Amino acid sequence: VANQGEAERLADQAVVEANRAILERVREEPDKAGMGTTVAMALRWRDTAILRNVGDSRLLLIRHGTVTQLSTDDVPTEAELPRYVDYYFRTRGLSEAEARSRASSTLTAALGREEFLLRTHQKITVPLQPGDRILAIVDGIWRNVTTQRMAELAQQYPDAERFATELVAEAERNAVQPGGKRDDLSAAVLVEPAAPDSPVTNFLAKRGPGLHHLAYEVEDVAVALEAVKRAGLRVIDQSPRPGAHGT
């Protein structure tokens, strides 16, 4: 990727191609008609986060202990809401209160719709500062964990992987409580290096933007490490050792 403009075009293309893939799958398998998905995508280009959003999955910025929502949920506006309320009230037989509740959370945009190709998805760019985190979450997370609690968890768990794990666990606990919302629970974290000489900074300087690492949970780390070696993959450590922040 030569420049930010090219990176942004790639992000846009990824959203459009994902939509086309869903539509093609439905044409091949008609029983899957109606399937779709939301999008919360983050791409790092140098010191800029390139974000794309569709639906009610959310993108948030965690900076200096504060959580700020960057994306906007694709739900009816105040002007559009009465039309949706009327639909649920008259055609679905819901009470007025139920119709209003359902209407307020109805998605007005999602992948898997022909008309999506004619509309513009949310395009957001954010200049990153050292220590920033971009958080991508589905509605099962934000309906069950407040932004204030997310900020507390981010401060309590500086390691991005541990933070995401604890965030999902808290949403899962809250979902089964009275008033909780049972739904999918997924979270991903994009991290900006916290210091000019950190391992992540050095990795980016040497290799450029891209995937830094994947984490897998295994029953025995030593056994898994030996299996990776036998498969011919390059390893950094020849034996298990503690990770960042005690992980």
Side-chain angles (χ1 to χ4, degrees), residues 75-143:
V75 295
T77 64
E78 285 298 320
E80 297 170 330
L81 194 58
R83 176 165 58 90
Y84 285 86
V85 172
D86 185 68
Y87 167 78
Y88 285 114
F89 179 71
R90 294 182 182 277
T91 66
R92 297 294 183 89
L94 301 180
S95 68
E96 186 172 350
E98 291 171 331
R100 178 167 291 277
S101 176
R102 181 71 65 85
S104 64
S105 60
T106 296
L107 292 183
T108 57
L111 297 195
R113 299 178 180 179
E114 294 283 358
E115 66 269 22
F116 176 78
L117 295 176
L118 304 177
R119 61 179 289 133
T120 302
H121 48 273
Q122 295 177 49
K123 303 178 182 182
I124 307 162
T125 57
V126 179
L128 295 171
Q129 298 180 11
D132 279 355
R133 300 183 188 184
I134 299 294
L135 178 61
I137 53 176
V138 298
D139 60 335
I141 300 293
W142 61 259
R143 292 183 191 278

Side-chain angles (χ1 to χ4, degrees), residues 139-146 170-171 174-175 179-182 185:
D139 60 335
I141 300 293
W142 61 259
R143 292 183 191 278
N144 290 297
V145 183
T146 66
E170 176 132 341
N174 293 343
K181 304 290 185 180
R182 294 176 181 270
L185 302 171

Side-chain angles (χ1 to χ4, degrees), residues 37-88:
T37 185
T38 60
V39 175
M41 180 174 67
L43 171 66
R44 184 182 185 275
W45 168 252
R46 295 186 177 175
D47 294 330
T48 299
I50 298 171
L51 312 176
R52 297 295 183 262
N53 187 257
V54 181
D56 62 353
S57 291
R58 291 181 177 178
L59 291 159
L60 304 99
L61 170 67
I62 303 176
R63 175 179 288 169
H64 304 315
T66 300
V67 178
T68 304
Q69 183 176 335
L70 301 172
S71 59
T72 302
D73 297 342
D74 285 314
V75 295
T77 64
E78 285 298 320
E80 297 170 330
L81 194 58
R83 176 165 58 90
Y84 285 86
V85 172
D86 185 68
Y87 167 78
Y88 285 114

Side-chain angles (χ1 to χ4, degrees), residues 186-214:
S186 301
V189 186
L190 175 70
V191 181
E192 174 70 3
D197 58 348
S198 72
V200 175
T201 302
N202 295 335
F203 177 90
L204 291 169
K206 181 178 180 180
R207 300 178 181 271
L211 183 65
H212 183 269
H213 71 275
L214 291 174

Side-chain angles (χ1 to χ4, degrees), residues 184-240:
D184 293 334
L185 302 171
S186 301
V189 186
L190 175 70
V191 181
E192 174 70 3
D197 58 348
S198 72
V200 175
T201 302
N202 295 335
F203 177 90
L204 291 169
K206 181 178 180 180
R207 300 178 181 271
L211 183 65
H212 183 269
H213 71 275
L214 291 174
Y216 294 93
E217 183 176 1
V218 298
E219 293 184 359
D220 190 310
V221 177
V223 172
L225 187 58
E226 290 302 318
V228 167
K229 293 179 185 178
R230 289 195 300 272
L233 299 179
R234 184 176 66 87
V235 297
I236 297 175
D237 298 298
Q238 298 300 315
S239 59

